[in-house]
Amino acid sequence: MKALVAVKRVVDANVKVRVKPDNSGVDLTNVKMSINPFDEIAVEEAVRLKEKGTVSEIVVVSIGPKESQEQIRSAMALGADRGILVEADDNQLGALEVAKILKGVVEQEQPQLILLGKQAIDDDSNQVGQMLGALLNAGQGTFASEVKVEGDKVQVTREIDGGLQTVELNLPAIITTDLRLNEPRYAALPNIMKARKKPLDTKTPADFGVTSTTNLKTVKVEPPAERKAGVQVKSVDELVDKLKNEAKVI
Ligand code: AMP
């Protein structure tokens, strides 16, 4: 069966982001960009399913600027077979537009498994997988920590408040990955070289019938408040006194 994995180009998780001086967004100049970490987990899961013989082809899709090719190539170095870049201005697209484009890709590619991250770490929106499920009228197993494909069904164990829930979905199904699903491998150098030769198609949103832009406007982006310096106390008595009389928390 075919697996489609959606990978988003985001600021690398180890980068300390800077907000632009006019508070219009995050400054991306000379910032290291990577595959969204949850999407890397989605790629890894697809690769493991291919290694088991369940999946025969892995297609990765990314919607974003031309540079998103780098993330598609990284996914190919991890084991994906083929890539689709839907070239678009990220700022013009919201979760719904991304989901509509992905719906077009699914209709074209007809995958049985559609894997996404549970959320993109740049906007923490956690919407695309669910919207795609609704648009395709397909079952969805979100926040997956275990995936078992059996025949034309998939069992997804989900991380929910206070425990785990297992759901069974008919294929084709949407799965969004949580952190504990797997630990992605590092790409080996020969695979990075091989990835350069794998097929990568470039498309536009209009190719999938999407011409609308987002209704969402970012009003302001602010960095978190600076943490105030702490004080050192000499004794437990002094700590209790400060908590009682200064912080007034006890
Ligand atoms: P979000 O709902 O924006 O937090 O994103 C959830 C998941 O949807 C991500 O982890 C990706 O798998 C997928 N996704 C979101 N935006 C894009 C994009 N521009 N290109 C490809 N996949 C995306």
Side-chain angles (χ1 to χ4, degrees):
M1 72 176 65
K2 194 192 275 189
L4 179 76
V5 188
V7 300
K8 186 176 186 188
R9 174 182 170 89
V10 297
V11 173
D12 187 273
N14 298 310
V15 168
K16 190 170 183 302
V17 291
R18 291 183 312 262
V19 170
K20 287 183 189 167
D22 65 358
N23 294 100
S24 62
V26 167
D27 189 356
L28 296 181
T29 343
N30 298 326
V31 168
K32 183 176 180 221
M33 305 295 283
S34 297
I35 299 183
N36 180 47
F38 293 107
D39 306 352
E40 215 170 5
I41 294 173
V43 174
E44 174 68 32
E45 196 61 20
V47 174
R48 289 186 190 189
L49 287 168
K50 192 174 171 194
E51 286 168 346
K52 270 197 217 158
T54 311
V55 161
S56 50
E57 189 187 24
I58 304 168
V59 181
V60 280
V61 54
S62 191
I63 302 156
K66 199 185 278 139
E67 293 78 12
S68 306
Q69 280 188 18
E70 294 162 16
Q71 282 63 48
I72 295 179
R73 293 282 175 213
S74 302
M76 287 169 168
L78 294 174
D81 298 292
R82 191 153 66 73
I84 302 169
L85 166 66
V86 183
E87 215 179 312
D89 177 357
D90 282 37
N91 300 319
Q92 303 282 313
L93 303 176
L96 185 57
E97 288 70 34
V98 170
K100 283 180 179 169
I101 296 169
L102 290 176
K103 174 180 183 256
V105 177
V106 169
E107 283 167 353
Q108 185 181 293
E109 292 290 334
Q110 300 286 317
Q112 293 296 96
L113 279 176
I114 303 142
L115 295 149
L116 298 91
K118 74 166 177 182
Q119 71 190 52
I121 61 162
D122 52 359
D123 54 19
D124 273 352
S125 112
N126 174 231
Q127 296 185 67
V128 171
Q130 293 87 334
M131 286 180 172
L132 182 60
L135 291 173
L136 289 168
N137 199 18
Q140 47 180 293
T142 49
F143 310 100
S145 61
E146 200 181 345
V147 170
K148 272 193 220 152
V149 181
E150 271 155 25
D152 57 357
K153 297 197 188 306
V154 58
Q155 281 202 354
V156 179
T157 302
R158 314 180 52 235
E159 301 206 350
I160 56 169
D161 262 3
L164 298 172
Q165 179 193 50
T166 303
V167 291
E168 189 173 77
L169 312 164
N170 290 328
L171 297 176
I174 316 259
I175 296 167
T176 76
T177 62
D178 214 326
L179 216 52
R180 273 170 285 269
L181 179 58
N182 61 50
E183 207 171 302
R185 68 197 67 193
Y186 290 99
L189 190 59
N191 293 343
I192 297 175
M193 307 303 282
K194 269 190 228 157
R196 292 189 190 164
K197 297 209 177 87
K198 292 187 179 176
L200 198 169
D201 259 5
T202 302
K203 302 273 188 188
T204 65
D207 291 336
F208 300 103
V210 180
T211 48
S212 54
T213 52
T214 183
N215 281 326
L216 205 74
K217 183 176 167 215
T218 301
V219 180
K220 201 176 179 189
V221 175
E222 283 178 290
E226 292 273 335
R227 191 171 168 273
K228 289 200 196 111
V231 285
Q232 275 198 346
V233 290
K234 292 202 176 64
S235 67
V236 172
D237 286 345
E238 191 187 343
L239 173 66
V240 172
D241 178 63
K242 280 186 182 296
L243 290 174
K244 228 184 224 165
N245 301 314
E246 283 181 28
K248 297 194 184 343
V249 291
I250 55 171

